[in-house]
Amino acid sequence: MEGQEDPLTRDAVKSGFEVTAPYEPMGDQPEAIQQLMKQLEEGDRFSILRGITGTGKTFVMSHCIAKYGQPTLILCHNKTLAAQLARELRSFLGNNAVELFVSFYNHYIPESFNEVSGRYVAKKSSINQEIDAMRHRATRALLMRQDVVVVASVSCIYGLGLPKDYMEASTTLQVGDNIEGRPDDFLSKLDSMLYINEQSDEEFGRGTYQYSLTSDECGILLWPPHEGFPMKIQLSLDSSSLSPIWKVTSIQQGHAMGHSDIDSTGLFPAKHHVMSEERLEEACLDIEEELRERVQELTKEHKFEEANRLQQRVGNDLLLLRETGFCPGGENYSRHFGQRATGEPPNTLMDYLGMNDREWLLIVDESHVTLPQLRAMYGGDRARKEKLVKHGYRLPSALDNRPLQDHEFWKTIQKGVFVSATPSKQEMEWAERKPVEMLIRPTFVPDPVIEVRPSKGQLEDLANEIRHRAKRAERTLAVTLTKRDAEDLSDYLKQQSIPTTFIHSGLNIHERADALKALQNGEVDCLVGVNLLREGLDLPQVSLVAILNADSEGFLRSDTALFQTVGRAARNVQGRAIFYANRVTDSMGRVLKETEERRQKQLLYNRLNDCSMKSTEGSSMLSIFDLLKEQIAAEQPLEVVGGKRRAVSGTKEINSFNLTSDVTVQVPAGKAHGSINIDHVPSSPGVYFWKDEYDEILYIGKAKRLRTRLKSYLTPKSKHSARIEVMIAKAKSVDFILTSSERDALLLESNLIKHHQPPYNVLLKDDISYPYICASVGDQYPRFFTTPRKEDRLTSSRYRYFGPYPDYNECNQILEAIESQYDLRAKSFMTRHGDMEHDEYQALFDEAMKDTFESTSSSKFNQLRSEFEEAAHLFDSKYNVCRDIITFSKVPGRDDSFGIVHVVQLRQGLVSGQFSYDCQIPSGMSSDEDYAAAMAHVLERQHYPSGEEAFDSRLPFFPTEILVQYDMSGITGRAVKQVIQAARKKVNASGGKKEPLAIRRAAKGGARKKSDELALKLCIENAEKAAHDKSLEAIEGSIKSSVDGTALEELQKLFDLDKKPSRIECYDISHNHGEHSVGSRVVFVDGQKEPSLYRKFNIKSVDGIDDYASLQEVISRRFKRAWVNGAGGPVADNDPWGLPDIVLIDGGPGQLNKAVEALVSQRIFPADGFYNRPTKGTKRSATVVVCSLAKGINRNKDDLYIYGSNEPINTSTDSPGLLLLRSLRDESHRFALNAHRSRRSIRKSI
């Protein structure tokens, strides 16, 4: 490979297409190619290729593309089929560029605002770097070649950046070329192309570079976003010339075996949105102007809160744009970046196709599905963004960050071909001639025979048909109306000893791929599905398609859907379809008639031309996921080892859960689950993981006694839900972690489920309400299910609610117990589709209802339900909407003057926060009045003055009622009220009406009594626990740190401070039993703990577990409070929110960089030489030392980082200064763990 050119550089002038398939067109294919080419050459704008399943439409497409000779875009309606089509075309057009352009999100939750609940959800996404690389390959090919086919999903109509800017920012490197200036100038060029200088090997990836520079050589390791491996570029100083000249002396392309020399390469930007510094500044000025205008509009409408929110959010974005060139959500300013007018369409992939007025061809695959998608994209995006603009989350220009409207898209199209077996009315109206028909398959297999059979006895009949075909090594597809029915039918067939699995949209791409692969290679005889068994699947093993509820007229049983589904059996000579129905609908009639007419034509053609039928051969044994193997890297499974989560095969550590006593054990499985020996598994608390053959986690659960729980899965007679049955069938091994207590197991289980999101766990939606169990007593086939809230609008005659319950886990335990005893789900399925009578099922449901929810007996179901429903007295009480509970507890083992004031926040029935404060009272004073005075002192001086800003209007920090253990009426109570009102006014600077506030003791009678007693008991128990922890801390002694001044002197020298640091703050993000993340602040003053300044931050703007985003939120919220509202200066040093001397972050450079971004957004800058602090327009600013402490490669060593340095700055592992920082970091861990345990204690005590 020595001396080769980069392929795209070499082929920049190539323009010819060539079909390289090893066979010639057959059947109707030659005539279809000829007719389509005639229409294209004669100027028809739109044509239709109507070909039935199996006629080789993709092969016809490839010949038309080659003959037409222009770049082509093929539009598909989902990324899986796009990948399959791209692979087929690569086999037909082997010498041309066939690229894939689909959405690069693995997971995507758009930014949104719910006007009903008032909840803002920030954008959350994870980008698949491999798919992003394919997108870059597609645009790169379009700019450098003529013979390009791009297979895309409808995501191609979203904004992509200007192709002109993308091209102008690119560069070509040739071995022997001189570079302009010095290596520093070349590296600056890479920076302007949005490559990131990432010297850390851990963070090195696509779009980054590393370099080493000496006086006469510069070595660059660069990873372009479109490449699978990084490349090496060597620059050398030519000393033979009169003036210093730097040359490109070698270029090496990376590949799986290493690196090989190439002569030249084209470098393109790391991102599609790229612009010059001048353009960026112009865009920022335009954004500022729009911001001023919008703020004025909102102010005139008296929307002060929205105006303040918008000003802060856009101001932070502008700061980051000017500092770094990009910001989170920067695509919402794309109109300004592209200098477009209001309402002007965004630049998309079509601009790359038509660059320089180039002609190109559009082919829409499965057009009857794809065209409706195109029409729908704009409306949904617009409706979501209008709410964000209305409520001050985005500028109006964000509305122009959008997909193309339908008419805008078609305006870009010069010529198009619609490909479908069932084209819709729209295609038929647009085409200028009749569709080009394809009825004869290259295999000469006719359409399958369709039978209509009665629904009565359909399950037994289907089972017999499957068995009959299995004897001939043929497969069956069964199609139901709902996902639930698909799972239940699969379960029923397995009970009949028929290997079966199901497929539907609830499964992830891996599971869907595994299901199809299992059908292809004979692991199962039947695959049950809903709507995923229609377009595009190549399954020649299938000889029978059985459609249940065929007479249920609607979308899934329309003539289009039936045609497509029946077509799955058209690749097999023995193909047949069965409609189970009690009547023939109009849609069924049309399908029956047209299919029979086509079949007769096909059979006649075969007789006249002496054609022999044969089933399709060569079906891919690759899974659908494998079709994307060039675009998607296989996910590596995670192991849990010693309480730490780590990725297998060299992948990066994702997260840690510190349970110091945990032990991990793996129990391998043999061919049958009965071979799993669990005799050595202890009967201890822990968490278990069922894994599949790829070592990927299927299900995570907890158990008080691990051995008993695992045996329940392996016992042959055990009853489980259909979902768990499927999981057990796939499981090949089980791992487990031992924990010190059931509580720790519960905490760890929730964290692991939240992060791994196993396919067979019920993933729960974050919400502030508590779940109920609903009985649909008014339905024809009643059932029990979990619902997030009681729907008052639903009539009680149809639905009955039971609860609320503390967690979904409790609901699931009750439902699983009911299912284990009564098997209602399977019985419901047999009633609807089998031979069970409706009255029999109704009687069984009534019995389950009575035994579980209506009986006063001590049955196991009733006891289980009653235990969980005790929470309703607290959660559902109207008195716990917004109140604080205040109690006092003495610390055991200390003198009587030392105690704990504990605050529990109840919001909407939620325990939304807990705070503990040390306090002292004069010796010998221990009356109720003394304790009340101590509580008031803490509330006035510490708790309420440091109140959080109400970022979430549903869960405010300040209460409307305070329930106290000891009487605080009179002057004491009035003083507390005044402090709260003043703190509330300070936080809510925009003003607003005065909120009511009451301070009272527990009621002795009436409706409030029970609610008050439970709430007060809850707080007292947690106060006593906090006091107990405090006594243990006193016994263990103070934390180990140098407090004699030595450590502070060392830190002063290390960070080059003017004086010894006094106040040091540490910030940490941890996960609160999997529901949401929690931030914590721990403060040392003069080397010693200052617990009164400790704070817990409930994460509010981040959904799910995202430590980086959570850290940014915590830092931003905390340091926003460092400024006096309206005055522009910092608060006093002795204020709870005063500026510290040092900020310590628990983590490495990644966390440190995110913390600095948050600090900069609040005009606080790191005190070092690496950050270029702006000087213009800075009304207020400050500097602090920002550092992070992370575990080194040696677990016994801590590495200390400062911003801008990728190497640790500490040389010693046990110096006084480092020991002090380590103590601070460890104290933050202890504080966070206590907060989590307290919260779990609350939930359990309730």
Side-chain angles (χ1 to χ4, degrees), residues 199-216:
Q199 295 299 113
S200 168
D201 290 339
E202 181 182 356
E203 300 296 331
F204 184 68
R206 284 187 176 87
T208 64
Y209 69 92
Q210 298 177 346
Y211 71 94
S212 60
L213 179 63
T214 64
S215 59
D216 57 357

Side-chain angles (χ1 to χ4, degrees), residues 1014-1031:
L1014 282 171
L1016 203 58
K1017 178 183 177 183
L1018 177 150
C1019 192
I1020 291 173
E1021 288 178 352
N1022 282 274
E1024 290 174 348
K1025 183 180 183 304
H1028 179 69
D1029 291 343
K1030 181 66 65 174
S1031 67

Side-chain angles (χ1 to χ4, degrees), residues 15 129 160 199 269 348 379 427 479 511 588 725 748 779 794 811 836 865 876 928 964 1067 1148 1161 1204 1215 1235:
S15 60
Q129 297 298 329
L160 192 61
Q199 295 299 113
T348 64
E427 296 102 282
V479 184
E511 293 174 302
M588 289 172 60
E725 290 284 1
L748 183 60
D779 288 352
L794 300 178
C811 293
M836 188 172 184
R865 175 188 65 82
D876 218 20
D928 289 357
V964 295
Y1067 292 86
S1161 72
S1215 66

Side-chain angles (χ1 to χ4, degrees), residues 419-482:
V419 180
S420 173
T422 54
S424 68
K425 183 180 179 181
Q426 178 178 340
E427 296 102 282
M428 299 296 285
E429 290 177 349
W430 285 5
E432 290 148 42
R433 310 190 201 193
K434 291 182 179 180
V436 176
E437 301 282 358
M438 294 180 67
L439 291 179
I440 308 303
R441 299 180 175 89
T443 59
F444 306 108
V445 175
D447 279 13
V449 174
I450 303 177
E451 293 183 61
V452 180
R453 298 183 182 179
S455 297
K456 185 174 179 61
Q458 60 185 342
L459 297 184
E460 295 83 354
D461 183 72
L462 175 59
N464 290 331
E465 290 287 349
I466 297 171
R467 293 190 187 100
H468 177 65
R469 279 159 178 76
K471 292 177 182 178
R472 302 198 304 254
E474 296 169 1
R475 314 283 183 260
T476 301
L477 297 182
V479 184
T480 65
L481 275 177
T482 67

Side-chain angles (χ1 to χ4, degrees), residues 1089-1117:
K1089 293 184 296 180
E1090 188 59 49
S1092 66
L1093 297 178
Y1094 291 7
R1095 294 291 182 272
K1096 183 183 73 172
F1097 297 83
N1098 290 317
I1099 306 302
K1100 299 174 180 179
S1101 67
V1102 180
D1103 279 353
I1105 296 178
D1106 186 337
D1107 288 354
Y1108 281 23
S1110 299
L1111 180 63
Q1112 282 186 296
E1113 179 192 322
V1114 168
I1115 297 294
S1116 296
R1117 285 166 55 186

Side-chain angles (χ1 to χ4, degrees), residues 101 135 139 156 158-162 272-273 346-349 352:
F101 191 96
R135 290 163 63 95
T139 53
C156 69
Y158 280 83
L160 192 61
L162 286 169
H272 282 108
H273 294 275
N347 298 105
T348 64
L349 182 67
Y352 287 78

